[in-house]
């Protein structure tokens, strides 16, 4: 909330509202990985990256983020667990008051690793689970045996009892038939949250666009996701199910429920008993009423990415769009004054179908997709399966 107030001070009142600093940052702490997944938007591999920060440099970047007031820091990659100093870096961030999470492929999370992550301050773990069967998961992860190792990693995290255990599934034509089974498996393994991702045309992901699902299949998958989400909201238990890179999931929920039960972004919904339990029904009503102030693509508004070399980027897939290095520049200064970020924040200037769609304030499309496909951060989201709506409910 403090970041929102600072955002109003810097940018004035806007819809959606930019925060004064990124509320959440995803840091690709290394580009090295023990897998070579077909869809990797970082093109990660086992080869060491010369641009990877040293421990002392990583500490300096953390201090920069802490000074700015970043609240949530996710360590990703590559595979973050390949860094021998990861726990030292996490401990530094945790001691600086940031809520720390880890996004991993799960294959390296032994029982001891899970316990160590909890000990140094990790509150939330996210693990990729791309199918309900070994052959399905291993296909995308490009390594035989990765499914069994990932399932074991999820079990080890469930035993530790992190505040939140999330699994993510990247949707494509060869695993869409297993979506419900994968959600069921994740919940049986102990997951408390489930994210459905889509293929992003970046890194190696650009080479597997042929695996993408059709618009009709995507809508059906999102409906399956929403049905599970709706049950968790109404009944007050079960996995919370969200979509990533598909801001139109909010539109689907809004339309299906006539504006009562829908996601606002990847962390909030327009009606969520879990949210009400934490903050009270009045705050929940405010979130629903002001959904257009918090919804849609969060790049440049409340979220940013950092590369392995310490460069701030608009979002994690946009690794080539470097805004300034945090070893050299103040994070807050980059965030407030960067020309591209200020262009990206002007959502009233959306173009094409996103401009004419009645849901542009709630959804607004994935900004990176617009950029990578059409060369304009404010262009239309070509991944949208719906097309512009003439009127909202």
């Amino acid at each position: 909330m403090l970041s929102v107030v600072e955002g109003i001070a810097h940018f004035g009142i806007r819809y959606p509202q930019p925060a004064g600093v990124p509320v959440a940052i995803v840091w690709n702490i290394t580009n090295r990985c023990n897998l070579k997944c077909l869809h990797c938007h970082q093109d990660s591999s086992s080869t060491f990256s010369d641009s990877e920060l040293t421990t002392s440099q990583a500490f300096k970047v953390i201090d920069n983020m802490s000074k700015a007031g970043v609240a949530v820091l996710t360590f990703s990659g590559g595979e973050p667990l390949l860094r021998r100093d990861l726990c030292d870096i996490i401990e530094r961030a945790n001691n600086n008051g940031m809520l720390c999470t880890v996004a991993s492929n799960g294959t390296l999370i032994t029982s001891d690793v899970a316990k160590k992550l909890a000990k140094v301050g990790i509150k939330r773990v996210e693990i990729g689970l791309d199918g309900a069967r070994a052959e399905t998961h291993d296909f995308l992860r490009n390594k035989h045996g990765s499914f069994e190792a990932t399932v074991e990693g999820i079990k080890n995290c469930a035993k530790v009892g992190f505040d939140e255990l999330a699994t993510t599934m990247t949707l494509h034509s060869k695993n869409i038939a297993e979506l419900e089974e994968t959600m069921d498996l994740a919940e049986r393994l102990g997951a408390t949250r489930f994210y459905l991702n889509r293929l992003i045309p970046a890194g190696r992901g650009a080479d597997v666009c042929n695996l993408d699902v059709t618009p009709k299949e995507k809508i059906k998958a999102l409906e399956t996701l929403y049905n599970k989400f709706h049950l968790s909201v109404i009944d007050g238990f079960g996995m919370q199910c969200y979509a990533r890179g598909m801001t139109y999931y909010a539109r689907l929920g809004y339309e299906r429920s006539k504006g009562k039960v829908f996601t606002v972004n990847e962390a909030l919904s327009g009606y969520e008993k879990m949210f009400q339990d934490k903050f009270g029904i009045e705050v929940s009503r405010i979130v629903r009423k002001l959904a257009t102030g918090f919804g849609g693509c969060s790049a440049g508004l409340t979220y940013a990415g950092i590369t392995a070399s310490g460069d701030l980027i608009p979002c994690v897939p946009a690794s080539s769009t470097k805004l300034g290095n945090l070893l050299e520049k103040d994070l807050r200064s980059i965030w407030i004054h960067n020309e591209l970020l200020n262009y990206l924040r002007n959502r009233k200037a959306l173009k094409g179908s996103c401009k004419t769609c009645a849901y542009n304030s709630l959804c607004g499309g994935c900004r990176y997709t617009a950029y990578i496909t059409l060369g304009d951060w404010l262009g239309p989201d070509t991944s949208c399966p719906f097309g512009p709506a003439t009127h909202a409910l």
Side-chain angles (χ1 to χ4, degrees), residues 290-332:
L290 301 178
T292 56
F294 300 99
C297 178
S298 56
L301 297 173
T302 58
Y303 145 79
I306 299 179
T307 68
S309 55
D311 290 292
L312 190 73
I313 51 180
C315 59
V316 167
S319 56
S320 62
T321 308
K322 298 175 181 178
L323 308 173
N325 193 282
L326 298 192
L327 291 175
E328 305 164 353
K329 297 183 179 180
D330 178 67
L331 170 59
R332 186 186 297 272

Side-chain angles (χ1 to χ4, degrees), residues 58-105:
F59 285 176
K60 186 176 180 181
V61 169
I62 285 170
D63 293 344
N64 193 342
M65 286 188 278
S66 176
K67 180 182 176 183
V70 174
V72 182
L73 179 59
T74 296
F75 295 91
S76 186
E79 173 50 57
L81 290 172
L82 287 179
R83 282 200 64 138
R84 295 181 179 179
D85 58 355
L86 179 64
C87 286
D88 295 328
I89 296 171
I90 291 170
E91 198 164 27
R92 177 80 164 214
N94 184 61
N95 290 340
N96 273 272
M98 285 178 267
L99 190 154
C100 297
T101 77
V102 164
S104 168
N105 61 44

Side-chain angles (χ1 to χ4, degrees), residues 115-182:
K115 291 174 183 176
K116 193 170 184 180
L117 288 174
K119 185 177 180 180
V120 296
I122 289 296
K123 302 298 183 185
R124 177 180 181 275
V125 176
E126 178 180 307
I127 298 175
L129 182 65
D130 291 302
R133 296 172 177 81
E135 59 268 27
T136 310
H137 177 91
D138 290 358
F139 166 76
L140 196 65
R141 295 293 168 170
N142 206 18
K143 187 174 182 179
H144 179 72
S146 60
F147 177 75
E148 287 81 2
T150 294
V151 167
E152 191 64 25
I154 295 171
K155 288 179 179 179
N156 289 332
C157 289
K159 289 176 184 175
V160 168
F162 292 95
D163 289 355
E164 186 173 290
L165 174 56
T167 61
T168 66
M169 177 182 180
T170 299
L171 185 71
H172 60 87
S173 60
K174 295 184 182 297
N175 70 359
I176 187 171
E178 294 181 23
L179 174 56
E180 285 190 85
E181 289 180 86
T182 306

Side-chain angles (χ1 to χ4, degrees), residues 5 16 36 39 42 78 88 101 107 113 116 123 145 151 156 168-169 176 207 219 273 283 310 346 353 384 387:
V5 172
K36 197 171 183 180
H39 65 304
Q42 297 300 323
D88 295 328
T101 77
T107 60
V113 167
K116 193 170 184 180
K123 302 298 183 185
V151 167
N156 289 332
T168 66
M169 177 182 180
I176 187 171
D207 298 326
I219 292 172
K273 287 188 177 180
V283 174
N346 187 14
S353 56
C384 177

Side-chain angles (χ1 to χ4, degrees), residues 28 67 108 117 126 133 141 171 177 185 187 189 199 217 229 270 281 299 307 312 381:
N28 292 326
K67 180 182 176 183
L108 302 178
L117 288 174
E126 178 180 307
R133 296 172 177 81
R141 295 293 168 170
L171 185 71
L185 173 61
E187 196 159 23
L189 292 173
L199 292 171
E217 288 173 329
F229 171 77
I281 193 167
T307 68
L312 190 73
D381 180 353

